[in-house]
Amino acid sequence: HYCRLWLKVTGDRNETYLGVYEMNEPIDENYLKDRKDNDHFGTAKGNLWKCKYYGQPANLTGNYSGDYYYDDDSDENHTYPLQTNIKNFDNAKAQFIDFQLKLNGKGRESFYTWINQVCDVDLLLRTYAVNVAAGMWDDCWNNANNFYLYFTTEDIYDYKIYLLPYDYDNTLGTSAQCGNQSDAGRQNPLEWGMASNPLIQRLMDYDDFRAIYIGYLKQLVDEHNGLMHHSAALPDIQ
């Protein structure tokens, strides 16, 4: 988000206006703790992975010898750095690979059952509809970049996952020739990303999942909801 910032120093008569700043909440252990209750994650003790395009895309495909690492405060870049429970890195890595194996390897009926068990599909599609309506092309589906995956447990096989997008600098008309698109404002939202990036792509293969996604897109652009319809969005952007 953005904010206008004033600074008031004790003893000074007037506040000092410093201009417009980006206000960014880090996705970290505190983020998880703030959301462990009230129908959010239910726990803050699971495995949090940052997923980003570094050297290779964070596309969650079958490269199980991929660039898994842990956040050691060295500022080194990796495609999949673990943010929490780094003392149990090997266990967390095994859990992450289990998720990838099932995401890529399950057949149509088996995948449908599994994905409903492992995550809140409705929430995932609502999250992604917001992502697309804002024109965020530098993302999980199109560029295999800029998202976190939170696993709610440390159990290798028994967990739920949440997709947490971040880094919304490339939005609201900022576009580039990238992945499956060149103009985010005119890209078909049902063909938003690369077919080779499986998490959202596989969901689009099911009529009921696709209908949920379309329904949320329509809500966002309904002029009566005051969200992404141009009559409401343009004044906010300006």
Side-chain angles (χ1 to χ4, degrees):
H1 204 68
Y2 294 96
C3 65
R4 300 172 69 193
L5 181 65
W6 286 262
L7 184 65
K8 180 70 168 66
V9 178
T10 301
D12 286 355
R13 179 175 297 178
N14 299 316
E15 295 177 336
T16 300
Y17 178 58
L18 299 179
V20 177
Y21 275 71
E22 180 184 49
M23 184 169 62
N24 183 31
E25 180 183 17
I27 299 178
D28 55 14
E29 291 181 348
N30 289 325
Y31 181 98
L32 300 176
K33 290 176 182 177
D34 287 343
R35 290 162 176 81
K36 69 182 181 66
D37 299 320
N38 301 323
D39 298 322
H40 285 86
F41 303 140
T43 174
K45 297 181 179 180
N47 295 320
L48 178 67
W49 293 84
K50 190 174 185 178
C51 305
K52 57 184 180 177
Y53 199 127
Y54 184 77
Q56 58 183 317
N59 53 20
L60 305 176
T61 54
N63 182 15
Y64 310 122
S65 60
D67 189 19
Y68 309 100
Y69 203 66
Y70 56 90
D71 190 351
D72 60 359
D73 295 323
S74 66
D75 292 329
E76 291 187 11
N77 283 303
H78 298 274
T79 307
Y80 301 116
L82 178 66
Q83 307 294 295
T84 59
N85 302 322
I86 60 176
K87 292 182 179 180
N88 296 324
F89 172 74
D90 289 341
N91 183 83
K93 178 181 174 181
Q95 182 190 63
F96 196 103
I97 291 176
D98 176 75
F99 173 74
Q100 287 181 268
L101 283 167
K102 292 170 179 174
L103 174 63
N104 291 278
K106 284 186 172 292
R108 181 174 176 81
E109 291 185 9
S110 179
F111 176 84
Y112 184 89
T113 300
W114 170 76
I115 198 67
N116 276 299
Q117 293 171 343
V118 80
C119 77
D120 182 339
V121 175
D122 185 89
L123 175 60
L124 176 57
L125 292 170
R126 178 155 51 103
T127 300
Y128 223 86
V130 173
N131 200 77
V132 171
M136 168 54 163
W137 53 267
D138 192 14
D139 64 352
C140 172
W141 189 4
N142 184 59
N143 196 35
N145 192 29
N146 288 336
F147 64 100
Y148 288 77
L149 282 180
Y150 179 54
F151 293 73
T152 57
T153 75
E154 291 189 79
D155 190 291
I156 294 175
Y157 306 111
D158 184 12
Y159 51 80
K160 291 187 179 296
I161 64 105
Y162 289 88
L163 173 76
L164 308 172
Y166 78 101
D167 199 1
Y168 278 74
D169 54 340
N170 291 305
T171 55
L172 303 176
T174 302
S175 296
Q177 182 65 52
C178 178
N180 192 40
Q181 55 179 276
S182 59
D183 185 347
R186 294 175 172 84
Q187 182 68 19
N188 183 343
L190 297 176
E191 299 173 357
W192 184 258
M194 301 285 287
S196 57
N197 298 339
L199 180 56
I200 307 299
Q201 184 67 38
R202 292 206 69 177
L203 295 178
M204 293 298 109
D205 289 338
Y206 300 87
D207 291 342
D208 54 342
F209 292 164
R210 193 164 55 249
I212 292 171
Y213 172 63
I214 292 171
Y216 282 127
L217 285 171
K218 288 182 175 180
Q219 284 186 24
L220 288 164
V221 299
D222 187 323
E223 62 180 315
H224 301 294
N225 291 335
L227 297 170
M228 291 303 294
H229 186 269
H230 66 82
S231 62
L234 285 178
D236 284 346
I237 294 167
Q238 291 168 352

